Amino acid sequence: MLVIRPVKMADLEALVVLAEHATPKLTNLPANRERLEERIERSLAAFNDEIEFPGNEHYTFVLENSALVDEARHGEILGTATIRAQAGANEAYYTYRQETLIHASQQLNVRREVQTLALSHEVSDATLLCAYSLNPRYKGTSAESLLRRARLMFIAQYPERFSRILAVAFPGYLDAQNESPFWESVGHHFFARSFHDINHIAGVRSKSFIAEVMPQFPLYLPLLTPPARAAIGREHPAHEEALQEMLAEGFVRSRHVDIFDAGPLVKAERERLATFNRAAWHPVRLRPDETLPDAEPALIANQALGDFRCIVARYALSATGQLMLSEADAKRLGVEEGRAVFAAPLTLPSAVDAFDEGEI
């Protein structure tokens, strides 16, 4: 009985727990009660506002098990994920961009291509899918895809609220000591703080210090340590499957990496994503659960902005194109017979690991 819905203030304590248990700790999901309360308030405002173009809105969702309801009629919160309508609406969204410089001398007959990292805020205009955390009990289940991709089902219904370019930044590689080789070779020299300290500060305070302290000149990769170079564009092991799913969705690797741990950033034009291309509207037809035909699972969402709901259910269509749902699934979605729902297959094509053609 899992359902995705917008966050409520009553979910605050659950969000604190999810932030504390995120692996690794996330800058965009700080385990800080005050910041998470602000996040919920900002999300409530975003869902209630009339918006014609993306700005500084944050849409935060939770994954709820509606079968486990307490006295206050709250289900168990198992996960959370957020959409930032514009990554750099309030302050620039900084990344390192991988570039190649050519050093040549005719006199010495020398030509060398040198890889560099340059501070960039080109991704600031993109819509960012972020702050994803799921209860470990549900890892490896359809709950992962539901929480991750329900955001795409929401964006597809309200395109005016989001950028045409979507991006996802994945946590970077940490070594056996839970330290970032990239940070130790780069950021530590400028901040004299541990990776985990600076990650926490970035989550609970303004990130203006990035532009104030980080070097403005390109970093030459040959001057970094071998472990730091190997970490560039490499995801944290706990997020390998998540990255593969986003590549299967249609995202491609960009030349941008995180400025702290060099984790990869993938992006895509939203119309190229599988969920957008394969989704369709269907009127609902209610059927007893035991009479529903076998069918592949699908993401199914209602069309209510502030009361958005998304679940996984069978993609069972009648001969006239009606989506057949059980009464329990219709109740979770908050829809009645005859109302239209938005559906997309849960299964994705095989992942294609490629770079953005526009950045090669």
Side-chain angles (χ1 to χ4, degrees), residues 22 81 89 104 111:
R111 184 185 185 279

Side-chain angles (χ1 to χ4, degrees), residues 238-252:
H239 292 258
E240 291 175 355
E241 293 182 4
L243 175 57
Q244 288 303 307
E245 182 172 43
M246 290 296 96
L247 294 175
E249 178 68 58
F251 284 88
V252 291

Side-chain angles (χ1 to χ4, degrees), residues 65-226:
N65 187 343
S66 57
L68 300 175
V69 178
D70 61 21
E71 296 80 2
R73 306 301 298 169
H74 296 145
E76 181 185 13
I77 304 304
L78 306 172
T80 183
T82 294
I83 309 170
R84 287 172 61 179
Q86 192 174 64
N90 190 39
E91 53 189 11
Y93 182 80
Y94 286 100
T95 62
Y96 271 131
R97 178 183 167 90
Q98 302 178 71
E99 298 179 349
T100 301
L101 295 182
I102 297 176
H103 292 256
S105 170
Q106 290 184 345
Q107 184 177 359
L108 298 177
N109 192 29
V110 171
R111 184 185 185 279
R112 295 292 301 275
E113 293 186 358
V114 182
Q115 304 301 311
T116 67
L117 293 175
L119 200 62
S120 170
H121 47 75
E122 295 174 11
V123 185
S124 293
D125 289 337
T127 288
L128 192 66
L129 307 183
C130 61
Y132 176 99
S133 180
L134 178 67
N135 187 309
R137 303 200 316 266
Y138 289 82
K139 186 173 178 58
T141 72
S142 61
E144 285 191 290
S145 293
L146 173 60
L147 180 57
R148 194 173 292 123
R149 293 170 55 206
R151 294 172 293 182
L152 299 178
M153 299 287 282
F154 183 79
I155 293 171
Q157 293 192 50
Y158 305 99
E160 71 282 358
R161 292 173 173 258
F162 305 101
S163 170
R164 181 169 167 265
I165 303 297
L166 307 183
V168 188
F170 288 93
Y173 173 77
L174 301 182
D175 61 21
Q177 287 72 44
N178 202 35
E179 297 295 340
S180 166
F182 183 80
W183 176 260
E184 293 301 316
S185 186
V186 179
H188 184 74
H189 297 295
F190 298 94
F191 290 92
R193 298 285 190 96
S194 74
F195 168 73
H196 299 288
D197 284 346
I198 208 69
N199 207 34
H200 177 73
I201 292 171
V204 300
R205 302 181 188 175
S206 168
K207 294 184 181 179
S208 61
F209 67 83
I210 295 172
E212 296 167 354
V213 181
M214 291 298 280
Q216 300 296 312
F217 300 102
L219 301 176
Y220 284 69
L221 266 59
L223 301 180
L224 305 184
T225 63

